[in-house]
């Protein structure tokens, strides 16, 4: 089977993944009052039974009052790792995944500028923004126009004390994750949320040690990683998701050259990141001129760490192209992906929508069985 190389184990710190297929983090909104129940536990367990090598959960709100905005409340809310009740709820999820031979990391999430004031589990908590900026107006985005009008006005910049509080909240949530039996920690450092808003010069215009240059803009992310590493010790891996694109601006770029990427990611690697997840829409696109290599390839090359690619694996269209109406069908030909993997470009493959649609996707890929015809219904249900 051509996919056999993907079904080789990979050890990272004290954890061994059975294969290279990773469930990419996907927000589901099925955790009433922030607590995942039995339906969420069996949803993840089915992906472990289907031979997914690593499950990265949906974004999980950290233990900070402004971590989550809208969709952080009620029946359809986003889960959190904030206190003993959430530890117990997640313990049932990790137990199920482990019983089926799987490995699972939570994706720790703070929405930062994307949290709208007066929304979320703590409506009065102000949005956290490095410079008070949401992002530039008028860029390409898929966000609702009314939301944009409400969030674009500048608020005040985060104080040093607020920065320290958020870092401490990441650390607390990592300790809850460890107590809940998670095997590693994944950080959401992309898509324009809090960590990314420190990395991006359009949202971080501070002139102090948190923003005066590219290295300073990486400092917040590095301090979060350092705090988590101090909490969880040396045997538990940390994975860090980053992206060039932002929800505020699909065409944004943090780095326009490999050199710039190295300046951004090196402090994170030094702080304790083991895996870089390069969030792209299409895994098969070159990132910088003069080379065919994708963003995950460059992340691996400039840091010497492991990397994961993602975007359109097992499917013909990227997420936003599908939402814009492009016909989306299963893409059975994994040969282009395999060619890049075999050249050593990346170590792991992130699978998003294909794994929502079919919990058995990894097993099917191993056996060379046909993939199921894609349907967008799976985006809105917990099958
Ligand atoms: C329903 C849905 C929810 C998502 N939620 C998140 C999220 O919480 N965190 C994140 O980093 N990415 C999120 N993503 C992005 C996916 O992890 C992935 O990068 C993207 O879907 C591209 O992979 P695919 O082409 O295999 O679907 C989400 C994607 C989908 C489809």
């Amino acid at each position: 089977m051509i996919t056999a190389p993907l079904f080789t184990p990979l050890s990272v710190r004290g954890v061994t993944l059975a294969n290279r297929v990773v469930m990419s983090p996907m927000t589901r909104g099925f955790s009433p009052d922030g607590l995942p129940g039995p339906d969420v536990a069996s949803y993840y367990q089915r992906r472990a039974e289907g031979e997914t090598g690593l499950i990265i959960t949906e974004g999980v709100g950290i233990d900070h009052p402004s971590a989550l905005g809208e969709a952080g409340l009620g029946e359809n809310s986003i889960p959190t790792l904030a206190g003993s009740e959430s530890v117990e709820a997640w313990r049932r999820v990790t137990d199920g995944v482990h019983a089926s031979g799987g490995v699972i990391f939570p994706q720790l999430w703070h929405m930062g500028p994307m949290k709208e004031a007066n929304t979320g589990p703590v409506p009065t908590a102000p949005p956290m923004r490095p410079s008070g900026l949401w992002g530039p107006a008028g860029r390409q985005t898929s966000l609702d126009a009314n939301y944009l009008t409400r969030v674009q006005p500048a608020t005040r910049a985060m104080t040093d004390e607020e920065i320290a509080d958020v870092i401490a909240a990441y650390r607390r949530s990592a300790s809850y994750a460890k107590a809940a039996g998670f095997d590693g920690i994944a950080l959401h450092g992309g898509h324009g949320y809090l960590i990314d808003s420190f990395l991006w010069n359009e949202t971080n215009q501070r002139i102090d040690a948190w923003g005066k240059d590219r290295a300073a803009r990486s400092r917040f992310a590095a301090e979060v990683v350092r705090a988590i590493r101090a909490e969880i010790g040396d045997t538990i891996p940390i994975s860090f998701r980053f992206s060039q694109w932002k929800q505020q601006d699909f065409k944004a770029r943090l780095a326009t050259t490999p050199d710039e990427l190295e300046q951004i990611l090196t402090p994170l690697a030094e702080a304790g990141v083991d895996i870089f997840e390069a969030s792209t829409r299409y895994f098969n696109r070159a990132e910088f001129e003069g080379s065919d290599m994708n963003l995950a390839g460059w992340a691996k090359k400039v840091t010497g760490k492991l990397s994961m690619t993602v975007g359109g694996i097992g499917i013909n269209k990227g997420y936003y192209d599908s939402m814009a109406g492009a016909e989306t069908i299963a893409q059975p030909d994994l040969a282009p992906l395999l060619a890049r993997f075999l050249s050593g470009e990346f170590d792991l493959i992130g699978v998003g929508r294909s794994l929502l649609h079919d919990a058995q996707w990894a097993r099917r890929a191993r056996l060379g069985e046909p993939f199921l015809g894609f349907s967008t219904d799976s985006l809105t249900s917990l099958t």
Side-chain angles (χ1 to χ4, degrees):
M1 204 58 58
I2 68 151
T3 55
L6 294 174
F7 291 86
T8 53
L10 178 70
S11 290
V12 42
R13 295 198 186 245
V15 173
T16 299
L17 312 179
N19 63 56
R20 312 308 183 91
V21 180
V22 179
M23 182 175 192
S24 199
M26 281 172 288
T27 289
R28 306 319 326 268
F30 288 100
S31 295
D33 298 320
L35 299 173
D39 53 343
V40 174
S42 57
Y43 155 82
Y44 285 120
Q45 185 166 8
R46 282 194 292 280
R47 271 71 195 172
E49 277 164 6
E51 302 182 17
T52 310
L54 168 62
I55 293 166
I56 301 182
T57 68
E58 59 204 290
V60 177
I62 62 164
D63 187 17
H64 185 272
S66 43
L68 299 178
E70 206 193 331
L73 274 181
E75 277 304 297
N76 298 323
S77 68
I78 294 170
T80 57
L81 265 165
S84 54
E85 248 189 309
S86 62
V87 170
E88 271 171 46
W90 280 113
R91 169 58 80 176
R92 288 191 285 273
V93 176
T94 62
D95 280 351
V97 167
H98 293 154
S100 296
V103 172
I104 181 165
F105 299 0
Q107 188 190 47
L108 300 189
W109 190 19
H110 190 301
M111 290 185 176
M114 307 295 288
K115 178 213 192 285
E116 188 184 339
N118 305 314
T119 65
V122 190
T124 51
M128 294 287 107
R129 301 173 167 192
S131 302
L133 301 172
W134 178 84
R139 303 286 172 87
Q140 190 188 338
T141 161
S142 68
L143 295 167
D144 172 68
N146 292 324
Y147 165 83
L148 289 174
T149 314
R150 295 192 301 267
V151 291
Q152 264 162 0
T155 57
R156 65 176 175 72
M158 288 172 81
T159 62
D160 280 357
E161 200 187 347
E162 285 171 335
I163 292 175
D165 278 352
V166 181
I167 293 170
Y170 272 103
R171 182 172 178 156
R172 272 196 308 283
S173 288
S175 88
Y176 293 137
K178 191 175 170 183
F182 281 104
D183 304 287
I185 299 290
L187 283 169
H188 200 335
H191 307 180
Y193 295 110
L194 183 63
I195 292 178
D196 200 18
S197 70
F198 272 89
L199 297 175
W200 193 28
N201 62 354
E202 301 259 25
T203 39
N204 183 354
Q205 297 182 356
R206 300 175 72 103
I207 49 169
D208 61 5
W210 299 105
K212 65 179 183 300
D213 53 26
R214 196 168 277 109
R217 291 198 294 273
S218 282
R219 182 172 166 219
F220 178 75
E223 291 301 327
V224 168
V225 171
R226 207 166 276 122
I228 291 175
R229 177 59 68 215
E231 181 67 38
I232 62 179
D234 288 335
T235 56
I236 298 180
I238 299 177
S239 172
F240 186 94
R241 169 166 278 223
F242 72 101
S243 64
Q244 298 268 37
W245 66 275
K246 320 290 162 213
Q247 288 188 76
Q248 298 92 323
D249 178 3
F250 283 178
K251 300 229 158 75
R253 298 193 89 194
L254 290 180
T256 55
T257 63
D259 236 27
E260 289 180 0
L261 188 68
E262 187 170 348
Q263 290 170 47
I264 295 163
L265 298 186
T266 300
L268 309 187
E270 287 172 357
V273 169
D274 303 297
I275 301 167
F276 285 99
E277 298 163 44
S279 173
T280 52
R281 277 68 166 276
Y282 292 93
F283 75 87
N284 57 354
R285 293 207 176 148
E287 188 57 41
F288 301 117
E289 262 176 42
S291 160
D292 192 36
M293 203 146 75
N294 73 16
L295 187 60
W298 283 108
K300 180 174 178 175
K301 188 177 165 88
V302 301
T303 63
K305 299 291 180 183
L306 300 170
S307 80
M308 181 190 99
T309 195
V310 70
I313 295 175
I315 208 165
N316 70 326
K317 288 289 170 197
Y319 180 37
Y320 285 102
D321 289 337
S322 294
M323 291 207 307
E327 193 198 2
T328 309
I329 53 168
Q331 172 59 265
D333 183 10
L334 294 180
L337 177 72
L338 259 293
R340 284 177 182 264
F341 178 76
L342 287 172
S343 76
E345 196 168 325
F346 40 78
D347 307 283
L348 294 159
I349 64 159
V351 181
R353 290 162 298 154
S354 300
L355 255 171
L356 284 189
H357 183 61
D358 179 11
Q360 296 283 318
W361 189 90
R363 191 184 59 82
R364 260 184 252 283
R366 179 173 66 78
L367 296 173
E369 282 182 9
F371 294 132
L372 303 184
F374 185 75
S375 141
T376 48
D377 292 350
S378 53
L379 298 181
T380 50
S381 64
L382 264 196
T383 53

